[in-house]
Amino acid sequence: MLEVRHLQVLRSIAQEGSLAAAGRALHYSQPTITHHLAAMEAHFDARLVQRGPRGATLTELGEALLPHAEAVLERLRRAEVEVRGLAEQGARTLHIGTFPTAGALLLAPAVKRLHRQGVYISLTEGELPLLLRGLKARELDAALVFSQPGDRLDLDEDFEVHPLLTDPLLLVMPEDHPCAALDRVPLGELRDAAWVGAADPHDPCDRVLAWACAQEGYEPLHAMRTDDYAVVQGLVAAGTGVALVPRLALGHPRTDLAVRPLASPDLAREISVALLRSTSAAAAQELIAALQEQAALITERWSEA
């Protein structure tokens, strides 16, 4: 039967490049490393490590086993951290990631509820690519994430994804813009418009705008770029251009702006919470319930606006 020590030895050999170096990293003698490696190879009846004069490398089978070994070791590490936290502080800890707009309106109220139920939150804020990396590296137990047309989530079966909120992407224009008279604006009407975009051209809003404009046969022209949605509104009000802004990030629009949904295509991002399946079941269910409750309140408020 495989043991935790076997998996630690395989990972250390992969990281250190030799049996001797793996032994030093784990504080094992080289004969002990050799013993554990032999036990693993006997278990699989296959060679997992190729040894040579310049060190040791994993075979194809060893490479296939490595990510599973790393996942098991990381899950054990997280279990130890959680149980020690409960023993020492009487509190469970969830490592949660969020993008800024969701953190303000979705996560913050949920954190208050979780704290009352004895769950401590460790927070990481960042844009979607950072959150996905944190999930895949097992540095986060859960994260608020989103998908949108032409830009889907890339998470494997180690994660479960729970939908929370449909966040429409709205067109923001100066109040005297010709399209401000329309209830819904076809994107084709904005072929010659200048756009206020994000500082990073690969920002999700810019990507979905590029995708949508491509469906209409043109590329959007960006006149200004900023990551601050208040600055976006100011630039649009000053006549610099128009912008595509998520409803969740819009807050209370300025009175000198016109905000309209697009007629074609109708764009929105689907906000969800993604969790590692290894997350403590009770804490995970409390997080999901708290976020779904807050998402329902936001959706109801939007429908009444």
Side-chain angles (χ1 to χ4, degrees):
M1 181 177 294
L2 285 178
E3 300 177 9
V4 172
R5 289 173 296 180
H6 298 158
L7 303 180
Q8 290 173 328
V9 165
L10 183 75
R11 181 177 65 179
S12 190
I13 292 171
Q15 291 174 342
E16 304 297 332
S18 75
L19 273 63
R24 289 192 294 272
L26 294 173
H27 305 290
Y28 289 167
S29 67
Q30 186 163 336
T32 300
I33 292 289
T34 301
H35 169 75
H36 289 314
L37 176 58
M40 270 192 297
E41 293 184 330
H43 177 81
F44 287 105
D45 192 24
R47 184 173 293 280
L48 301 175
V49 174
Q50 183 66 47
R51 283 159 279 190
R54 295 187 178 181
T57 58
L58 300 191
T59 64
E60 183 177 354
L61 293 177
E63 291 286 357
L65 178 59
L66 180 60
H68 298 287
E70 291 175 329
V72 169
L73 293 171
E74 175 60 17
R75 183 164 181 174
L76 288 172
R77 185 192 70 79
R78 297 186 75 83
E80 183 176 0
V81 168
E82 181 175 342
V83 173
R84 286 188 182 277
L86 277 168
E88 295 171 4
Q89 305 171 14
R92 289 163 292 174
T93 298
L94 281 180
H95 302 273
I96 301 178
T98 182
F99 54 98
T101 49
L105 296 178
L106 266 174
L107 185 59
V111 167
K112 181 179 180 180
R113 171 173 163 171
L114 289 165
H115 278 175
R116 288 200 303 264
Q117 297 176 3
V119 180
Y120 175 75
I121 303 299
S122 169
L123 183 64
T124 296
E125 184 182 77
E127 297 302 333
L128 184 62
L130 174 69
L131 302 179
L132 293 176
R133 287 196 298 271
L135 286 170
K136 293 174 183 178
R138 309 308 193 256
E139 295 167 354
L140 297 174
D141 297 307
L144 288 165
V145 296
F146 60 87
S147 60
Q148 58 189 17
D151 200 2
R152 297 299 178 183
L153 286 175
D154 178 24
L155 291 172
D156 60 30
E157 66 275 6
D158 289 340
F159 300 90
E160 54 185 59
V161 179
H162 297 265
L164 297 173
L165 182 70
T166 297
D167 187 16
L169 302 178
L170 301 175
L171 178 67
V172 180
M173 306 169 284
E175 61 179 347
D176 59 353
H177 192 281
C179 290
L182 302 175
D183 291 332
R184 302 177 69 87
V185 181
L187 193 57
E189 294 292 320
L190 300 168
R191 183 178 299 272
D192 298 322
W195 292 85
V196 179
D200 180 358
H202 300 291
D203 177 85
C205 266
D206 277 11
R207 288 203 305 270
V208 76
L209 176 63
W211 175 87
C213 290
Q215 312 308 304
E216 300 292 327
Y218 70 93
E219 294 183 12
L221 171 65
H222 286 87
M224 301 284 282
R225 292 189 175 277
T226 176
D227 284 332
D228 188 317
Y229 283 116
V231 176
V232 168
Q233 291 191 43
L235 290 172
V236 172
T240 303
V242 300
L244 194 64
V245 177
R247 177 67 181 86
L248 202 62
L250 196 55
H252 298 287
R254 297 166 51 129
T255 57
D256 51 359
L257 294 176
V259 179
R260 301 287 185 271
L262 289 172
S264 58
D266 186 9
L267 298 180
R269 58 183 186 177
E270 300 298 328
I271 298 177
S272 306
V273 56
L275 299 97
L276 271 168
R277 294 189 185 277
S278 58
T279 302
S280 167
Q285 290 307 312
E286 288 163 3
L287 174 65
I288 294 165
L291 289 171
Q292 288 177 335
E293 179 181 303
Q294 187 59 26
L297 290 174
I298 292 172
T299 301
E300 181 180 355
R301 188 161 64 243
W302 287 352
S303 66
E304 295 172 350

